[in-house]
Amino acid sequence: MVHGRFDRSDSLPTVTVYNHLDVQPASKAKEPWKREPFEFVKEGNRYLGRGTTDDKGPAITALFGARYAFQNGVCANIHFLWELEEEIGSPHFETTIRDHAQDFATDSVVVSDTVWVSRARPAQPAGLRGLQGFFFDLETGETDQHSGTAGGAARNPLTEICQLISECVDGKTGRVKIPGFYTDVVPPTKKDLEDLKSSGFTVGGFKKDHKYKKLRVEDPLEVMKRIWMMPTFEVHGILGGYQEGRTVKTIIPPRATAIVSCRLVPDMNPKKIVKLVTDFVKSKNPDVRVSAEHALPAYEGKTTGPYADAIRSAMKFAFGKEPVFVREGGSIGAVLSMEKVLKKPIFFLGLSLPLHGYPAPNENYDWDQAAGGMAAFAKYFNEVGSLKAGRP
Amino acid sequence: MVHGRFDRSDSLPTVTVYNHLDVQPASKAKEPWKREPFEFVKEGNRYLGRGTTDDKGPAITALFGARYAFQNGVCANIHFLWELEEEIGSPHFETTIRDHAQDFATDSVVVSDTVWVSRARPAQPAGLRGLQGFFFDLETGETDQHSGTAGGAARNPLTEICQLISECVDGKTGRVKIPGFYTDVVPPTKKDLEDLKSSGFTVGGFKKDHKYKKLRVEDPLEVMKRIWMMPTFEVHGILGGYQEGRTVKTIIPPRATAIVSCRLVPDMNPKKIVKLVTDFVKSKNPDVRVSAEHALPAYEGKTTGPYADAIRSAMKFAFGKEPVFVREGGSIGAVLSMEKVLKKPIFFLGLSLPLHGYPAPNENYDWDQAAGGMAAFAKYFNEVGSLKAGRP
């Protein structure tokens, strides 16, 4: 972690900006990157490379906004908290801010690691989905066997894992079949649905940004509910067997692993979900070992009060339009830790756009978002400094 | 292909030995090989390395048997037909023997590329299963997407492929669920079942040789029926998504591929199976593209007549016991081509043992099988030469 400080006076409020500097894996050989993912390139008004939008671009944007505000007499201390383990589930973040609570003490936090709905209108999350990762491991033998000599009698861990996955989730609709999975999901309120409707979201835009021709559903409200307010059950990869290419190597592998995760929403409890999933898997295939990883509960934020108003004012100043408060489908574990340890309000001032590919191949960031973002941050720091001693 | 000839006289019968010299892929990095797979090592009475038992060891054994027989006045011409594309489905074998039919003309063929049931008793196949390979390809997007931003609305090709596989086959029992799949399967005769019962097969031995603790079924007759006389539907690998290791990289991949094959038995027609599988897959998921590969029908051989008697006599001479005629679960495309083009009887004199790992990691061959095999081949050539001019 990096902790940076623009300190002015102990009597003034402190606002802490959270970003992360680590990135997801990337490989030009295995993914359709047009350039080397780890070579930073500027092309026109775009910055290309792994991490440009998730989350180094927003981090640097906030830093320049802070420098400007500080050089121009902002009535606030501005701290930076840069994490370098966000993408692997923030394993040391919470203990570190707890162990150094005095250094990290602040009056509010602003997080810049989220995505707008479209360039046409700023959007800030009023909640994040949580995440619970799993490995489903099945071992049925010791070494590869030949499907000619053993096929028919030998168990095939790949077909068993496929069956298990299809028992957990409807592969086409995404509907999770595990009993009780949806029990604690809070349905959207009328206000939530109104916010969604005025978010500027279009199915066509979503498809274009994510390069999809067809979705599971095509109704815009239904799509928004699914990506922001509903839990998921996704398979990210199946390890085991022949994976070197398009060859029918007729082996029966000795083991297979499904890499799985569930996005969680309020009020789902990750521990309860781990137990539900583990018990269900065991009931369907007792030989499968379930390992749980990455527990992040969902986060529910605020859309009212002086900080929310400061976000509105800053975005309007910088981008000409007030932001709409939506939800974010992704998960930021550090947000939950900061809420728990720092016990101060946390707001979001995200700058990424869907078309930045957050964090897909050919990830990018652009000058328009950087320039507006610097102005928005400078304005936000001023607004927060002008709050009744910044401590409403 | 390599064609070798020990020619004695046009007036004597010609026996052709078929082996293949190509091998399956192997990787010490990815499979539990104790040594480099492509470095040949002799250790005690074992020969270690990829190809030792499938099928170079038997090829060399037959060659030395032939040399001995020839040097000792065998009344036959002995030809060798060594293929180098067997493992990729013999794409040029049939056209080559057809184009050079005069060179390859023979009176009978003996194939040495099969596995005994146990070391305790020689076993020769009276039939081979066929093979039909498939790729099931599904593309639902263009690039990796983040399950946080798109998960719920985006189609996931991995969960769809899992569901499709579970619709094609019961992952646990292996029972194929595609209507009509078993229609043309010839049930075993009473004689077949008697042969199976006297084959020396034990479930314990099979499990030990193939390193299994548990099978789909534990009854010996049922296991033999499943590995030799029943068709299969196996998944050999699922490509797509994150496969670099144990990381919950929360992507939704744009495409996935299942590598699939079916072992076939008499009287299943590969073309009919391709149509059945393709139509079924299309009915379940019209976006999946089915590509068929590797068509080999099953082969049904003979257990009676002078050649079968010569096999019995040769094995008894070399190994002290008459062979039992069973089936072979694997597929040898060249056998079907030779039957079609050469139009002469084809018999099997295999030497591999289940514990040789045919063709799994740590593949090996041993001196006992090589020594006995040389004697068996020499004796077999003599027996065939002594048949009424070798042309019964």
Side-chain angles (χ1 to χ4, degrees), chain B residues 179-196:
Chain B
F181 188 81
Y182 293 103
T183 303
D184 297 330
V185 173
V186 178
T189 63
K190 218 176 139 188
K191 175 72 171 62
D192 287 336
L193 295 177
E194 275 162 21
D195 281 350
L196 295 187

Side-chain angles (χ1 to χ4, degrees), chain B residues 38-58:
Chain B
F38 293 103
E39 283 174 20
F40 177 79
V41 175
K42 185 170 182 292
E43 197 176 76
N45 76 342
R46 280 183 185 267
Y47 309 98
L48 307 168
R50 174 55 90 223
T52 47
T53 203
D54 179 18
D55 178 41
K56 296 180 189 193

Side-chain angles (χ1 to χ4, degrees), chain A residues 31 137 145 148 151 153 156 163 166 171-172 210 214 216 234 236 242-243 246 249 251 284 287 329, chain B residues 31 129 137 145 148 153 156 163 166 171-172 210 214 216 234 236 242-243 246 249 251 284 287 329:
Chain A
E31 298 165 334
D137 291 296
Q145 294 295 335
N156 184 333
Q163 180 151 322
S166 76
K172 285 183 189 167
H210 295 87
K214 207 160 98 180
R216 284 173 175 165
E234 299 289 1
H236 306 298
Y242 189 71
Q243 306 196 305
R246 294 182 71 82
K249 187 182 181 189
I251 50 167
K284 293 293 177 186
D287 293 339
Chain B
E31 300 166 332
R129 290 200 287 194
D137 291 295
Q145 294 295 334
N156 184 332
Q163 180 152 323
S166 76
K172 286 182 188 166
H210 295 86
K214 210 159 96 180
R216 284 174 175 164
E234 301 288 1
H236 306 298
Y242 189 71
Q243 307 197 304
R246 293 181 72 80
K249 187 182 181 189
I251 51 165
K284 294 293 176 185
D287 293 340

Side-chain angles (χ1 to χ4, degrees), chain A residues 332-347:
Chain A
I332 310 172
V335 168
L336 300 155
S337 298
M338 290 189 292
E339 188 187 34
K340 210 192 299 180
V341 176
L342 305 178
K343 295 184 174 67
K344 299 290 170 172
I346 298 173
F347 284 83

Side-chain angles (χ1 to χ4, degrees), chain A residues 165-241:
Chain A
I165 294 300
S166 76
E167 286 165 334
C168 291
V169 65
D170 184 305
K172 285 183 189 167
T173 65
R175 178 90 194 163
V176 182
K177 297 175 175 178
I178 300 168
F181 187 82
Y182 293 103
T183 303
D184 298 330
V185 173
V186 179
T189 63
K190 217 175 141 188
K191 176 71 171 66
D192 288 336
L193 295 178
E194 275 162 21
D195 282 350
L196 296 186
K197 281 178 193 163
S198 63
S199 69
F201 179 90
T202 66
V203 172
F206 178 85
K207 283 157 104 168
K208 188 166 167 245
D209 292 335
H210 295 87
K211 299 184 169 50
Y212 286 119
K213 290 201 185 82
K214 207 160 98 180
L215 299 174
R216 284 173 175 165
V217 287
E218 299 282 332
D219 174 68
L221 196 59
E222 187 60 27
V223 172
M224 284 185 278
K225 274 156 63 179
R226 280 169 172 251
I227 60 177
W228 296 330
M229 296 182 167
M230 289 295 285
T232 64
F233 182 105
E234 299 289 1
V235 178
H236 306 298
I238 294 179
L239 313 177

